[in-house]
Amino acid sequence: MTATVPLPWGPHTPRTTPLDLASGGTPPTSRTVFSAAHVVADPYADISPDDPAAVDWESTLAFRRHLWSHGLGVAEAMDTAQRGMGLDWAGAAELIRRSAAEAKAVGGRIACGVGTDQLLPSSEPTLAEVRSAYEEQLALAEVNGVQPILMASRDLAKAARGPEDYLATYAHLLRQSREPVILHWLGPMFDPALEGYWGSTDLDEATDTFLKVIAEHPDKVDGIKISLLDAAREIDVRRRLPSGVRCYTGDDFNYPELIAGDERGFSHALLGIFDPLGPLAAHAVRVLDTGDTAGFRALLDPTIELSRHLFQPPTRFYKTGVVFLAWLAGHQDHFTMAGGLQSARSLPHLAKAYELADGLGLFPDPDLAAHRMRGLLAVQGGTR
């Protein structure tokens, strides 16, 4: 009989067999699908939470190879990689260089976050300084041959005085970009410093501003990633996009229905939840490739409870649950995070994440996951 795991609310009997999702899958064809990927910290680095992150590069790159092996694209150096929450620009730049080289070696698709986080957090930057910072990062992406994702910038949110400053800044950057970029709208639930992005706290006005950016430069915009956790608004936006410009859902609450779409269109995907769901997500979208929408929904709808749990407020701490599940799944040997972020979620929250993920069959080795969960409970919770 399988030993139970003593969760805070009672014993849990681990699943005995995982989902059968072997690597080697081809990339989906009906949707473009990126998984934002986490970084693996070096647990033996003698640093404080305020120091630059010490990254375990081999484990970090191995996880990207895992995602590519299932046919997913990798969205690199995004907020899932603790960008601005443990990983500074120097670390992000090195991550981009290494991941770009790895992508070329294995033939994996990659896009990388381009922002302004080399500017000091305490500074009051000018618009010229914001543009210069973006340009530096855009140049790094281009020299490494990766698709840029123009990330929402805390510094631009500080410096801009209204929609016209956003329009001018993005127009300046898009004119310089060699290839079409992915624009990025991250809501304040993911980063409170981005409140009022696009020049207004009124979401209708903000939407009009970024749609104007796209309308004026449609040949330079591959798509827009929307992370507002508002399915109705995303559907409205994608119906208003110019022909050929993709909508990439970043909605970790409603992704199955948004990717499935309706008679008037669908969303592609660039999601943090596809870090722990990678093999299952890739398989589900390949089912969708065959036209089997019901089969796709049957695979992904049951994952919504886990995703909503991981992304519950404060949403920006979802990274803790993502790395926790990677540890339980055997993708890394420890549950240490850059900036000490492993402490950002409670023990009951992590226990519930384990229970939900195990129920979905996400752990390649359920016994290993159960063993690690028992150890965490013993160390952090003691005995009752």
Side-chain angles (χ1 to χ4, degrees):
M1 180 177 177
T2 303
T4 61
V5 179
L7 300 181
W9 45 87
H12 168 75
T13 301
R15 183 170 174 146
T16 56
T17 57
L19 292 175
D20 182 15
L21 298 169
S23 61
T26 57
T29 57
S30 64
R31 307 289 189 273
T32 300
V33 182
F34 290 99
S35 167
H38 73 279
V39 293
V40 182
D42 179 354
Y44 288 105
D46 187 13
I47 57 176
S48 75
D50 293 331
D51 291 331
V55 177
D56 176 345
W57 291 112
E58 178 48 43
S59 296
T60 293
L61 295 175
F63 189 77
R64 281 129 183 87
R65 292 193 293 270
H66 155 72
L67 293 173
W68 284 318
S69 75
H70 287 277
L72 294 172
V74 168
E76 188 56 277
M78 302 292 289
D79 61 300
T80 304
Q82 294 184 242
R83 192 82 180 263
M85 290 185 68
L87 188 71
D88 63 8
W89 167 236
E94 184 65 14
L95 180 62
I96 290 170
R97 293 186 193 99
R98 290 176 181 254
S99 291
E102 201 73 21
K104 291 174 185 175
V106 303
R109 182 165 187 165
I110 186 169
C112 292
V114 167
T116 63
D117 46 336
Q118 66 269 58
L119 299 174
L120 293 176
S122 59
S123 67
E124 293 295 331
T126 65
L127 287 173
E129 289 170 333
V130 170
R131 287 196 300 269
S132 179
Y134 264 129
E135 288 168 348
E136 178 188 349
Q137 298 199 17
L138 185 60
L140 179 75
E142 290 182 341
V143 78
N144 283 280
V146 300
Q147 182 178 21
I149 303 170
L150 288 184
M151 299 177 70
S153 163
R154 295 172 180 174
D155 301 293
L156 181 54
K158 282 186 192 178
R161 295 295 173 261
E164 65 283 352
D165 288 338
Y166 287 89
L167 291 169
T169 298
Y170 279 93
H172 177 84
L173 296 169
L174 291 173
R175 283 194 296 268
Q176 295 186 53
S177 179
R178 295 177 188 169
E179 302 293 337
V181 308
I182 299 173
L183 299 179
H184 177 245
W185 188 2
L186 196 67
M189 69 288 292
F190 287 93
D191 188 343
L194 298 176
E195 181 74 40
Y197 208 75
W198 302 108
S200 178
T201 56
D202 183 302
L203 292 183
D204 291 333
E205 293 180 6
T207 298
D208 289 342
T209 298
F210 87 74
L211 285 173
K212 187 174 181 180
V213 170
I214 296 172
E216 293 177 352
H217 308 275
D219 58 325
K220 289 296 188 74
V221 179
D222 167 63
I224 171 78
K225 167 186 159 60
I226 304 176
S227 296
L228 298 177
L229 305 183
D230 183 339
R233 181 165 296 277
E234 179 174 320
I235 291 169
D236 175 67
V237 167
R238 79 183 185 205
R239 288 175 178 172
R240 296 168 63 188
L241 290 173
S243 177
V245 176
R246 296 181 175 97
C247 178
Y248 289 93
T249 188
D251 187 334
D252 300 279
F253 283 6
N254 304 292
Y255 50 92
E257 66 175 280
L258 291 166
I259 296 169
D262 55 31
E263 68 282 355
R264 296 178 60 184
F266 56 82
S267 296
H268 300 269
L270 199 165
L271 287 160
I273 190 57
F274 281 6
D275 181 301
L277 294 184
L280 176 57
H283 172 65
V285 180
R286 283 191 289 269
V287 170
L288 187 60
D289 289 345
T290 69
D292 184 1
T293 302
F296 166 80
R297 294 294 298 268
L299 288 164
L300 275 198
D301 281 0
T303 68
I304 293 174
E305 184 180 3
L306 171 63
S307 189
R308 292 190 175 197
H309 177 72
L310 295 180
F311 285 79
Q312 69 182 227
T315 302
R316 63 188 181 278
F317 294 131
Y318 77 88
K319 297 97 164 168
T320 301
V322 164
V323 174
F324 172 67
L325 293 181
W327 171 58
L328 293 183
H331 294 297
Q332 55 195 81
D333 294 330
H334 60 84
F335 178 40
T336 298
M337 296 178 66
L341 204 65
Q342 67 272 11
S343 65
R345 291 297 201 187
S346 70
L347 190 58
H349 176 91
L350 298 175
K352 186 64 175 178
Y354 159 73
E355 183 180 50
L356 291 171
D358 183 60
L360 291 168
L362 296 183
F363 300 128
D365 184 342
D367 288 339
L368 173 66
H371 172 73
R372 289 183 170 181
M373 189 70 232
R374 289 189 203 98
L376 182 73
L377 290 164
V379 170
Q380 293 198 2
T383 59
R384 293 187 175 183

